[in-house]
């Protein structure tokens, strides 16, 4: 099997799966209970909090555990809107956010917020000047992503946040870090960013666990009512085994960011070089994108058709983003690419276990697929 859809989800690391299973059996207590099994569970959760925090150079007290990246984004965005609604009127955001952000902002738009979405240009970049121009004294929230999930555009969260702060010191700044966490180095200790969302299943954990960084002294109200766990922001009995697993993933993968990044870069370059040799394939990802993601368009074959052809050879890639099943890519549409390029777009995404053999298999599969499918 050649699994090249790691931006959709990753395989669970067997070492982490074992830890998860063992924790499930051994640390069964409710962290809120006052007796020993409860305290053991609470300690395990706090240890994981420190492990996740260390990947961002922050403290455990700044980490809230959630069920997924979507939940982290929702808590941060809705919380920020509630926090600033008394004086703010608009929200500034990139025009190529994941639905976890843009659909949440649609809910806020229905409450009267003006959403200023700055689209990417045809090269897949956000015009920084235009983005900052949209921020004014009535901006309550600024949201952007670390790495775009469809084409891999890489933003510099700290540098951009500093520029936003220079224009508006009281707006909340949220970063969707789901595709960048533990893949690209990032330190949040400078306090420029108020909130940062991450998700475990993009980093070899089971689906169902995520986290939200909230800067010390940055306060938002709850989105859910409940028993007060996670400082009331994500009430509900903590999923201790999954949280422990996320902590261990943070420790394991947080240490190897440069080495894994170098590996992804090599594979990305190989794929780009080989695709360029064909001459009929257009790369949609910017040249300076995250090497973990490469989006390109094939001529004369719909991406779904090619996806299933590749599937027959056990090569797995995505057409657009996994969340948009069959729908035209949100990002490529925002880039205003021609319809044929959007229809033929495939996304390849690597992880640390991806190999040159995977890339070669994909190239052969594409070659064969184009020959077989273009003829019809
Ligand atoms: N944000 C981005 C950029 C993503 O790529 C994803 C998932 O694909 C999410 C948020 C949502 O994360 P989750 O699947 O953990 O809810």
């Amino acid at each position: 099997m050649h699994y090249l859809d790691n931006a959709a989800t990753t395989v669970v690391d067997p070492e982490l799966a074992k830890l998860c299973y063992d924790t499930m059996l051994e640390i069964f207590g409710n962290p809120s209970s006052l007796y020993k099994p409860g305290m053991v569970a609470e300690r395990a959760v706090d240890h994981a909090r420190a492990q996740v925090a260390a990947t961002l150079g922050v403290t455990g007290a700044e980490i809230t555990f959630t069920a997924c990246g979507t939940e982290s984004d929702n808590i941060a965005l809705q919380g920020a809107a509630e926090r600033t609604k008394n004086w703010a009127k608009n929200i500034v955001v990139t025009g190529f956010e994941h639905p976890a952000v843009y659909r949440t902002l649609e809910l806020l738009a229905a409450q009267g917020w003006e959403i200023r979405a700055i689209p990417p240009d045809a090269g897949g970049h956000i015009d920084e000047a235009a983005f900052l121009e949209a921020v004014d004294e009535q901006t309550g929230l600024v949201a952007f992503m670390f790495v775009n999930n469809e084409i891999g555009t890489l933003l510099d969260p700290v540098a951009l946040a500093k520029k936003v702060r220079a224009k508006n010191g009281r707006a909340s700044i949220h970063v969707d870090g789901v595709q960048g966490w533990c893949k690209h180095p990032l330190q949040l200790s400078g306090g420029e960013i108020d909130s940062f969302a991450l998700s475990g299943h993009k980093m070899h954990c089971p689906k169902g666990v995520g986290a939200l960084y909230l800067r010390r002294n940055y306060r938002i109200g709850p989105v859910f009512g409940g028993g007060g766990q996670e400082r009331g922001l994500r009430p509900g009995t903590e999923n201790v085994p999954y949280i422990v697993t996320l902590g261990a993933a943070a420790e394991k993968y947080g240490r190897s960011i440069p080495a894994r990044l170098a590996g992804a870069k090599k594979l990305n370059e190989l794929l780009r070089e080989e695709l360029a040799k064909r001459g009929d394939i257009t790369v949609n990802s910017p040249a300076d994108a995250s090497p973990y993601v490469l989006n390109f368009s094939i001529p004369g074959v719909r991406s779904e058709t090619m996806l299933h052809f590749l599937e027959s050879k056990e090569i797995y890639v995505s057409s657009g983003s996994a969340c948009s099943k069959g729908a035209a890519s949100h990002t490529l549409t925002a880039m205003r690419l021609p319809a044929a390029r959007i229809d033929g777009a495939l996304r390849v995404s690597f992880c640390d276990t991806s190999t040159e053999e995977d890339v070669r298999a994909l190239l052969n599969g594409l070659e064969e697929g184009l020959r077989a499918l273009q003829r019809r």
Side-chain angles (χ1 to χ4, degrees), residues 190-206:
E192 298 85 358
I193 289 160
D194 294 313
S195 56
F196 179 91
L198 62 94
S199 174
H201 75 101
K202 312 288 184 181
M203 202 35 74
H204 304 294
C205 288

Side-chain angles (χ1 to χ4, degrees), residues 20-327:
C20 189
Y21 177 80
D22 290 347
T23 307
M24 210 174 285
L25 298 180
E26 288 162 20
I27 309 186
F28 65 89
N30 184 327
S32 299
S33 298
L34 296 179
Y35 43 72
K36 199 168 160 195
M39 282 157 69
V40 168
E42 189 185 22
R43 270 204 300 275
V45 169
D46 283 340
H47 180 60
R49 220 184 284 288
Q51 288 172 311
V52 172
T55 63
L56 298 168
V58 299
T59 61
E62 294 167 295
I63 300 296
T64 298
F65 289 113
T66 66
C68 56
T70 301
E71 200 176 79
S72 300
D73 281 326
N74 268 268
I75 295 169
L77 297 169
Q78 299 199 42
E82 188 60 30
R83 174 188 161 98
T84 59
K85 70 175 185 196
N86 290 340
W87 57 267
K89 290 198 165 37
N90 69 73
I91 294 170
V92 176
V93 63
T94 78
F96 62 5
E97 293 294 318
H98 185 274
V101 170
Y102 76 75
R103 292 249 186 264
T104 307
L105 295 185
E106 280 170 15
L107 299 177
L108 294 175
Q111 292 171 21
W113 285 88
E114 179 200 344
I115 310 298
R116 298 179 176 172
I118 310 305
D121 59 26
H125 290 112
I126 298 293
D127 178 345
E128 192 179 276
F131 190 80
L132 293 170
E133 180 67 31
V135 177
D136 61 24
E137 65 284 354
Q138 292 193 320
T139 303
L141 165 62
V142 177
F144 55 89
M145 61 205 319
F146 187 9
V147 173
N148 175 271
N149 53 302
E150 294 192 66
I151 57 170
T153 304
L154 180 61
L155 276 78
D156 182 342
V158 171
L160 185 53
K162 277 184 184 160
K163 290 175 189 165
V164 169
R165 287 252 177 267
K167 279 206 79 177
N168 176 334
R170 56 181 183 159
S172 296
I173 301 181
H174 175 66
V175 175
D176 178 341
V178 169
Q179 292 292 348
W181 179 66
C182 272
K183 292 181 183 162
H184 291 270
L186 181 66
Q187 293 289 296
L188 300 181
S189 45
E192 298 85 358
I193 289 160
D194 294 313
S195 56
F196 179 91
L198 62 94
S199 174
H201 75 101
K202 312 288 184 181
M203 202 35 74
H204 304 294
C205 288
K207 281 154 268 298
V209 64
L212 175 63
Y213 156 79
L214 290 166
R215 179 177 58 74
R216 184 193 300 264
N217 298 329
Y218 174 70
R219 300 267 177 270
I220 52 172
V223 173
F224 312 109
Q229 293 91 343
E230 296 300 287
R231 288 170 296 144
L233 287 174
R234 205 287 180 171
T237 305
E238 296 88 340
N239 187 344
V240 179
Y242 279 34
I243 288 172
V244 165
T245 307
L246 182 63
E251 178 146 353
K252 179 171 178 175
Y253 294 107
R255 271 198 235 114
S256 57
I257 294 174
R260 287 183 295 109
L261 194 53
K265 195 159 174 272
K266 256 172 90 174
L267 297 180
N268 187 294
E269 280 167 5
L270 171 67
L271 183 53
R272 279 180 189 259
E273 274 165 31
E274 293 299 320
L275 292 178
K277 282 184 196 163
R278 287 191 53 96
D280 58 352
I281 288 178
T282 324
V283 170
N284 301 318
S285 296
D288 58 356
S290 166
Y292 283 101
V293 180
L294 189 67
N295 189 305
F296 55 88
S297 296
I298 51 171
V301 182
R302 287 183 63 86
S303 52
E304 275 81 11
T305 312
M306 181 59 86
L307 180 150
H308 292 303
F309 180 86
L310 293 172
E311 179 189 11
S312 72
K313 310 203 164 300
E314 291 198 71
I315 302 163
Y316 300 101
V317 300
S318 137
S319 58
S321 67
C323 310
S324 56
K325 282 201 171 180

